[in-house]
Amino acid sequence: MMRALMPNLPNWINESLAERQQADLIRKTVVLDQAQTAHAQIDGKPYIAFCSNDYLGLANHALLKKSLKKAVDKYGVGSGSSHLVIGHTSAHERLEEDIAAWLGYEKVMLFSAGYMANLGAVTALGHKTRDVVGDKLNHASLVDGAKLSDSRLRRYLHNDVSSCERLLKVSSEGSLLVTDGVFSMDGDMAPLSELARLASHYKSLFMVDDAHGLGCLGRSGKGSLALADMSASEVPLLMGTCGKALGTSGAFIATSKVMGEYLTQFARPYIYTTAMSPAMASVTSSSVRLLQSAEGDDLRGRLADNIAYFRQKMQAFPLELMPSETAIQPILVGDSSIALKMSEKLRLRGVWCTAIRPPTVPIGLARLRITLSAEHSLQDIDALIDALEYSLLDK
Ligand SMILES: *Cc1c(COP(=O)(O)O)cnc(C)c1O
């Protein structure tokens, strides 16, 4: 329960909290006293977790742990400075080159998080005279970037190419079209080829946020572009996070040399912040190598098998899945309080899946955002389905 600990706080603070509480929208931090794995110990009890973005189980991978320890011996723990002062080490340089080679881009710039990478690119490219056109379900960081850049944000209907075209038609020249590759709360994929064609026709810049595609989809885990058989030349700006399938943390923008130079000069969330830890950069290079190895293929194969198994098992179930072929398999519940109750019931059955509620998703579209990992066994998925069945009893 919420208690007023500081009586001299202005009223609106407590009022806002009370409002969220009333609507079942209060979020809580859960403390994990161990590594991020599909089998979590929370408050002393074992759970199978189905809500992490560690899709390939790399966050606790033995080889990567060893690689990080080695990197700490060489580079220490912190970067001590921004990239442009004295924080850019050979580990950062190497990671930028490794990602560029992996994804076929000329230039890669590292950021400390995906949120910052999106803010960086969109604030640098948006302007009050240039529009940002984006999918209605784009990630919050893309929306915030547009707001911060003072550009007009025009949002088209989710994955609706003609709605997007209508907005591009009336947009100022030199606008930015931006979309998630895989939508984080729905798991479906953007029609990237069509959007790229539109962007080129209307002389807009095109940017894709592939936080959830990278590592999981396409040949060598190159993500949504590879899956759609597209090349870097069709997507001048690609954002990727290292904190999801790559298992580490940080993020990057992959782009051309000239655009990289522009962002280096104008992307404030690149300039005015401490570079990611060099040890983290180094272990992320190992992760990128792993993704391109036979083991990477094997992990992606296991993830794909788990997704297929889950969807097939759910066919006989009274809950409808969303049209997603990715590791994100949400179950739409609607009401926030029901989503919370279902999540509590899952917990009673040893399954951990946090309810996702507004404002992360639109009002009335609360859901259980189930995410699958290569680490889950078929028995884990059976346990999930049993728990879902139990959660439906007199909900
Ligand atoms: C998670 C996420 C981000 C932010 O990345 P972080 O590295 O976690 O800050 C950006 N875009 C999308 C679509 C995401 O899902």
Side-chain angles (χ1 to χ4, degrees), residues 271-289:
I271 302 164
Y272 298 107
T273 196
T274 303
M276 74 157 83
S277 153
M280 195 52 70
S282 176
V283 66
T284 305
S285 275
S286 305
S287 172
V288 166
R289 272 194 297 284

PDB file of all heavy atoms in Angstrom, residues 271-289:
ATOM      1  N   ILE A 271      26.283  12.251 -27.086  1.00  0.00           N
ATOM      2  CA  ILE A 271      27.370  13.159 -26.700  1.00  0.00           C
ATOM      3  C   ILE A 271      27.480  13.343 -25.190  1.00  0.00           C
ATOM      4  O   ILE A 271      28.571  13.268 -24.624  1.00  0.00           O
ATOM      5  CB  ILE A 271      27.154  14.542 -27.377  1.00  0.00           C
ATOM      6  CG1 ILE A 271      27.083  14.369 -28.908  1.00  0.00           C
ATOM      7  CG2 ILE A 271      28.255  15.522 -26.981  1.00  0.00           C
ATOM      8  CD1 ILE A 271      26.513  15.561 -29.655  1.00  0.00           C
ATOM      9  N   TYR A 272      26.324  13.561 -24.553  1.00  0.00           N
ATOM     10  CA  TYR A 272      26.356  13.997 -23.150  1.00  0.00           C
ATOM     11  C   TYR A 272      26.112  12.858 -22.175  1.00  0.00           C
ATOM     12  O   TYR A 272      25.337  13.007 -21.232  1.00  0.00           O
ATOM     13  CB  TYR A 272      25.343  15.117 -22.928  1.00  0.00           C
ATOM     14  CG  TYR A 272      25.666  16.329 -23.764  1.00  0.00           C
ATOM     15  CD1 TYR A 272      24.908  16.654 -24.877  1.00  0.00           C
ATOM     16  CD2 TYR A 272      26.774  17.137 -23.450  1.00  0.00           C
ATOM     17  CE1 TYR A 272      25.215  17.754 -25.665  1.00  0.00           C
ATOM     18  CE2 TYR A 272      27.099  18.231 -24.242  1.00  0.00           C
ATOM     19  CZ  TYR A 272      26.309  18.527 -25.351  1.00  0.00           C
ATOM     20  OH  TYR A 272      26.636  19.602 -26.123  1.00  0.00           O
ATOM     21  N   THR A 273      26.733  11.715 -22.415  1.00  0.00           N
ATOM     22  CA  THR A 273      26.522  10.601 -21.493  1.00  0.00           C
ATOM     23  C   THR A 273      27.750   9.697 -21.484  1.00  0.00           C
ATOM     24  O   THR A 273      28.504   9.652 -22.469  1.00  0.00           O
ATOM     25  CB  THR A 273      25.239   9.821 -21.888  1.00  0.00           C
ATOM     26  OG1 THR A 273      24.849   8.990 -20.809  1.00  0.00           O
ATOM     27  CG2 THR A 273      25.454   8.983 -23.112  1.00  0.00           C
ATOM     28  N   THR A 274      27.938   9.012 -20.387  1.00  0.00           N
ATOM     29  CA  THR A 274      29.079   8.116 -20.240  1.00  0.00           C
ATOM     30  C   THR A 274      28.939   6.914 -21.176  1.00  0.00           C
ATOM     31  O   THR A 274      27.851   6.338 -21.297  1.00  0.00           O
ATOM     32  CB  THR A 274      29.144   7.632 -18.777  1.00  0.00           C
ATOM     33  OG1 THR A 274      29.215   8.793 -17.951  1.00  0.00           O
ATOM     34  CG2 THR A 274      30.349   6.759 -18.523  1.00  0.00           C
ATOM     35  N   ALA A 275      30.013   6.550 -21.828  1.00  0.00           N
ATOM     36  CA  ALA A 275      29.986   5.381 -22.718  1.00  0.00           C
ATOM     37  C   ALA A 275      29.702   4.122 -21.904  1.00  0.00           C
ATOM     38  O   ALA A 275      30.015   4.046 -20.717  1.00  0.00           O
ATOM     39  CB  ALA A 275      31.342   5.245 -23.423  1.00  0.00           C
ATOM     40  N   MET A 276      29.103   3.121 -22.550  1.00  0.00           N
ATOM     41  CA  MET A 276      28.859   1.838 -21.856  1.00  0.00           C
ATOM     42  C   MET A 276      30.198   1.285 -21.356  1.00  0.00           C
ATOM     43  O   MET A 276      31.258   1.632 -21.868  1.00  0.00           O
ATOM     44  CB  MET A 276      28.151   0.828 -22.780  1.00  0.00           C
ATOM     45  CG  MET A 276      29.021   0.223 -23.852  1.00  0.00           C
ATOM     46  SD  MET A 276      28.404  -1.377 -24.479  1.00  0.00           S
ATOM     47  CE  MET A 276      27.199  -0.901 -25.678  1.00  0.00           C
ATOM     48  N   SER A 277      30.136   0.444 -20.365  1.00  0.00           N
ATOM     49  CA  SER A 277      31.361  -0.142 -19.824  1.00  0.00           C
ATOM     50  C   SER A 277      32.141  -0.848 -20.942  1.00  0.00           C
ATOM     51  O   SER A 277      31.559  -1.577 -21.747  1.00  0.00           O
ATOM     52  CB  SER A 277      30.986  -1.141 -18.728  1.00  0.00           C
ATOM     53  OG  SER A 277      31.982  -2.127 -18.629  1.00  0.00           O
ATOM     54  N   PRO A 278      33.446  -0.654 -21.017  1.00  0.00           N
ATOM     55  CA  PRO A 278      34.232  -1.321 -22.063  1.00  0.00           C
ATOM     56  C   PRO A 278      34.161  -2.843 -21.943  1.00  0.00           C
ATOM     57  O   PRO A 278      34.179  -3.549 -22.959  1.00  0.00           O
ATOM     58  CB  PRO A 278      35.666  -0.824 -21.830  1.00  0.00           C
ATOM     59  CG  PRO A 278      35.673  -0.225 -20.463  1.00  0.00           C
ATOM     60  CD  PRO A 278      34.275   0.216 -20.169  1.00  0.00           C
ATOM     61  N   ALA A 279      34.046  -3.341 -20.720  1.00  0.00           N
ATOM     62  CA  ALA A 279      33.932  -4.795 -20.549  1.00  0.00           C
ATOM     63  C   ALA A 279      32.622  -5.282 -21.164  1.00  0.00           C
ATOM     64  O   ALA A 279      32.556  -6.344 -21.788  1.00  0.00           O
ATOM     65  CB  ALA A 279      34.008  -5.148 -19.070  1.00  0.00           C
ATOM     66  N   MET A 280      31.567  -4.469 -21.006  1.00  0.00           N
ATOM     67  CA  MET A 280      30.265  -4.815 -21.592  1.00  0.00           C
ATOM     68  C   MET A 280      30.365  -4.798 -23.114  1.00  0.00           C
ATOM     69  O   MET A 280      29.794  -5.661 -23.799  1.00  0.00           O
ATOM     70  CB  MET A 280      29.223  -3.811 -21.092  1.00  0.00           C
ATOM     71  CG  MET A 280      27.793  -4.219 -21.307  1.00  0.00           C
ATOM     72  SD  MET A 280      27.388  -5.858 -20.690  1.00  0.00           S
ATOM     73  CE  MET A 280      27.477  -5.624 -18.924  1.00  0.00           C
ATOM     74  N   ALA A 281      31.102  -3.815 -23.653  1.00  0.00           N
ATOM     75  CA  ALA A 281      31.288  -3.760 -25.107  1.00  0.00           C
ATOM     76  C   ALA A 281      32.020  -5.013 -25.570  1.00  0.00           C
ATOM     77  O   ALA A 281      31.643  -5.642 -26.563  1.00  0.00           O
ATOM     78  CB  ALA A 281      32.067  -2.500 -25.489  1.00  0.00           C
ATOM     79  N   SER A 282      33.037  -5.401 -24.838  1.00  0.00           N
ATOM     80  CA  SER A 282      33.838  -6.554 -25.230  1.00  0.00           C
ATOM     81  C   SER A 282      33.018  -7.847 -25.212  1.00  0.00           C
ATOM     82  O   SER A 282      33.067  -8.641 -26.162  1.00  0.00           O
ATOM     83  CB  SER A 282      35.052  -6.666 -24.298  1.00  0.00           C
ATOM     84  OG  SER A 282      35.783  -7.809 -24.597  1.00  0.00           O
ATOM     85  N   VAL A 283      32.244  -8.047 -24.139  1.00  0.00           N
ATOM     86  CA  VAL A 283      31.450  -9.285 -24.079  1.00  0.00           C
ATOM     87  C   VAL A 283      30.347  -9.258 -25.133  1.00  0.00           C
ATOM     88  O   VAL A 283      29.944 -10.311 -25.663  1.00  0.00           O
ATOM     89  CB  VAL A 283      30.879  -9.540 -22.657  1.00  0.00           C
ATOM     90  CG1 VAL A 283      29.864  -8.512 -22.251  1.00  0.00           C
ATOM     91  CG2 VAL A 283      30.235 -10.925 -22.591  1.00  0.00           C
ATOM     92  N   THR A 284      29.880  -8.075 -25.502  1.00  0.00           N
ATOM     93  CA  THR A 284      28.851  -7.995 -26.542  1.00  0.00           C
ATOM     94  C   THR A 284      29.426  -8.438 -27.897  1.00  0.00           C
ATOM     95  O   THR A 284      28.731  -9.066 -28.697  1.00  0.00           O
ATOM     96  CB  THR A 284      28.243  -6.584 -26.602  1.00  0.00           C
ATOM     97  OG1 THR A 284      27.762  -6.238 -25.298  1.00  0.00           O
ATOM     98  CG2 THR A 284      27.092  -6.508 -27.580  1.00  0.00           C
ATOM     99  N   SER A 285      30.720  -8.156 -28.125  1.00  0.00           N
ATOM    100  CA  SER A 285      31.370  -8.676 -29.337  1.00  0.00           C
ATOM    101  C   SER A 285      31.335 -10.200 -29.336  1.00  0.00           C
ATOM    102  O   SER A 285      31.075 -10.835 -30.367  1.00  0.00           O
ATOM    103  CB  SER A 285      32.835  -8.215 -29.415  1.00  0.00           C
ATOM    104  OG  SER A 285      32.922  -6.942 -30.003  1.00  0.00           O
ATOM    105  N   SER A 286      31.578 -10.800 -28.166  1.00  0.00           N
ATOM    106  CA  SER A 286      31.524 -12.267 -28.076  1.00  0.00           C
ATOM    107  C   SER A 286      30.117 -12.764 -28.370  1.00  0.00           C
ATOM    108  O   SER A 286      29.918 -13.795 -29.024  1.00  0.00           O
ATOM    109  CB  SER A 286      31.926 -12.754 -26.676  1.00  0.00           C
ATOM    110  OG  SER A 286      33.182 -12.247 -26.326  1.00  0.00           O
ATOM    111  N   SER A 287      29.133 -12.024 -27.876  1.00  0.00           N
ATOM    112  CA  SER A 287      27.749 -12.404 -28.103  1.00  0.00           C
ATOM    113  C   SER A 287      27.410 -12.340 -29.594  1.00  0.00           C
ATOM    114  O   SER A 287      26.744 -13.228 -30.138  1.00  0.00           O
ATOM    115  CB  SER A 287      26.835 -11.487 -27.285  1.00  0.00           C
ATOM    116  OG  SER A 287      25.508 -11.710 -27.621  1.00  0.00           O
ATOM    117  N   VAL A 288      27.879 -11.289 -30.260  1.00  0.00           N
ATOM    118  CA  VAL A 288      27.631 -11.137 -31.701  1.00  0.00           C
ATOM    119  C   VAL A 288      28.272 -12.303 -32.475  1.00  0.00           C
ATOM    120  O   VAL A 288      27.684 -12.839 -33.416  1.00  0.00           O
ATOM    121  CB  VAL A 288      28.157  -9.764 -32.189  1.00  0.00           C
ATOM    122  CG1 VAL A 288      28.241  -9.707 -33.709  1.00  0.00           C
ATOM    123  CG2 VAL A 288      27.278  -8.640 -31.656  1.00  0.00           C
ATOM    124  N   ARG A 289      29.449 -12.728 -32.035  1.00  0.00           N
ATOM    125  CA  ARG A 289      30.098 -13.882 -32.674  1.00  0.00           C
ATOM    126  C   ARG A 289      29.293 -15.155 -32.439  1.00  0.00           C
ATOM    127  O   ARG A 289      29.075 -15.943 -33.344  1.00  0.00           O
ATOM    128  CB  ARG A 289      31.524 -14.063 -32.134  1.00  0.00           C
ATOM    129  CG  ARG A 289      32.574 -13.271 -32.903  1.00  0.00           C
ATOM    130  CD  ARG A 289      33.991 -13.736 -32.579  1.00  0.00           C
ATOM    131  NE  ARG A 289      34.346 -13.539 -31.174  1.00  0.00           N
ATOM    132  CZ  ARG A 289      34.668 -12.360 -30.643  1.00  0.00           C
ATOM    133  NH1 ARG A 289      34.684 -11.284 -31.405  1.00  0.00           N
ATOM    134  NH2 ARG A 289      34.962 -12.244 -29.354  1.00  0.00           N
TER     135      ARG A 289
END
